[in-house]
Coordinates of all heavy atoms in Angstrom, one line a residue:
G320 N -111.6 4.1 -199.1 CA -110.4 3.8 -199.8 C -109.2 3.7 -199.0 O -108.5 2.7 -199.1
G321 N -109.0 4.6 -198.1 CA -107.9 4.6 -197.2 C -107.9 3.3 -196.3 O -106.8 2.7 -196.1
N322 N -109.0 3.0 -195.8 CA -109.1 1.8 -194.9 C -108.8 0.5 -195.7 O -108.1 -0.4 -195.2 CB -110.5 1.7 -194.3 CG -110.8 2.8 -193.2 OD1 -109.8 3.3 -192.7 ND2 -112.0 3.1 -193.0
C323 N -109.4 0.4 -196.9 CA -109.1 -0.7 -197.7 C -107.6 -0.9 -198.1 O -107.1 -2.0 -198.0 CB -109.9 -0.7 -199.0 SG -111.7 -0.9 -198.7
G324 N -107.0 0.2 -198.5 CA -105.6 0.3 -198.8 C -104.7 -0.2 -197.5 O -103.8 -0.9 -197.7
S325 N -105.1 0.3 -196.4 CA -104.4 0.0 -195.2 C -104.5 -1.4 -194.8 O -103.5 -2.0 -194.3 CB -104.9 0.9 -194.0 OG -104.7 2.3 -194.2
Q326 N -105.7 -2.0 -195.0 CA -105.8 -3.5 -194.8 C -104.9 -4.2 -195.6 O -104.1 -5.2 -195.1 CB -107.3 -3.9 -195.0 CG -108.3 -3.4 -194.0 CD -109.7 -3.9 -194.4 OE1 -110.0 -4.2 -195.5 NE2 -110.6 -4.0 -193.4
S327 N -104.8 -4.0 -196.9 CA -103.9 -4.8 -197.8 C -102.5 -4.5 -197.5 O -101.7 -5.5 -197.4 CB -104.2 -4.4 -199.2 OG -105.5 -4.6 -199.6
S328 N -102.1 -3.3 -197.3 CA -100.7 -3.0 -197.0 C -100.2 -3.6 -195.7 O -99.1 -4.1 -195.6 CB -100.4 -1.5 -197.0 OG -101.0 -0.9 -195.9
T329 N -101.0 -3.6 -194.7 CA -100.7 -4.2 -193.4 C -100.4 -5.7 -193.5 O -99.4 -6.2 -193.1 CB -101.8 -4.0 -192.3 OG1 -102.0 -2.6 -192.2 CG2 -101.4 -4.7 -191.0
L330 N -101.3 -6.4 -194.3 CA -101.1 -7.9 -194.5 C -99.9 -8.2 -195.4 O -99.1 -9.1 -195.1 CB -102.3 -8.5 -195.1 CG -103.6 -8.5 -194.2 CD1 -104.8 -9.1 -195.0 CD2 -103.3 -9.4 -193.0
I331 N -99.6 -7.3 -196.3 CA -98.5 -7.6 -197.2 C -97.2 -7.3 -196.5 O -96.2 -8.0 -196.6 CB -98.6 -6.6 -198.5 CG1 -99.8 -7.1 -199.3 CG2 -97.3 -6.8 -199.3 CD1 -99.7 -8.5 -199.9
I332 N -97.2 -6.2 -195.7 CA -95.9 -5.8 -194.9 C -95.7 -6.9 -193.8 O -94.5 -7.3 -193.7 CB -96.2 -4.5 -194.2 CG1 -96.1 -3.3 -195.2 CG2 -95.1 -4.3 -193.1 CD1 -96.6 -2.0 -194.6
R333 N -96.7 -7.5 -193.3 CA -96.5 -8.6 -192.3 C -96.0 -9.8 -193.0 O -95.1 -10.5 -192.6 CB -97.9 -8.9 -191.6 CG -97.8 -10.1 -190.7 CD -99.1 -10.5 -190.2 NE -99.0 -11.7 -189.2 CZ -99.0 -12.9 -189.6 NH1 -99.1 -13.2 -191.0 NH2 -98.9 -13.9 -188.8
G334 N -96.5 -10.1 -194.2 CA -96.0 -11.2 -195.0 C -94.6 -11.1 -195.4 O -93.8 -12.0 -195.3
I335 N -94.2 -9.9 -195.7 CA -92.8 -9.6 -196.1 C -91.9 -9.8 -194.9 O -90.8 -10.4 -194.9 CB -92.6 -8.2 -196.7 CG1 -93.4 -8.1 -198.0 CG2 -91.1 -7.8 -196.8 CD1 -93.4 -6.7 -198.6
A336 N -92.3 -9.3 -193.7 CA -91.6 -9.3 -192.5 C -91.3 -10.8 -192.0 O -90.3 -11.1 -191.5 CB -92.2 -8.5 -191.4
L337 N -92.4 -11.6 -192.3 CA -92.2 -13.0 -191.9 C -91.7 -13.9 -193.0 O -91.7 -15.1 -192.8 CB -93.6 -13.6 -191.5 CG -94.3 -12.9 -190.2 CD1 -95.7 -13.4 -190.0 CD2 -93.4 -13.1 -189.0

Side-chain angles (χ1 to χ4, degrees):
N322 292 336
C323 289
S325 296
Q326 286 180 339
S327 297
S328 65
T329 300
L330 290 174
I331 295 299
I332 290 169
R333 178 184 178 276
I335 293 171
L337 296 177

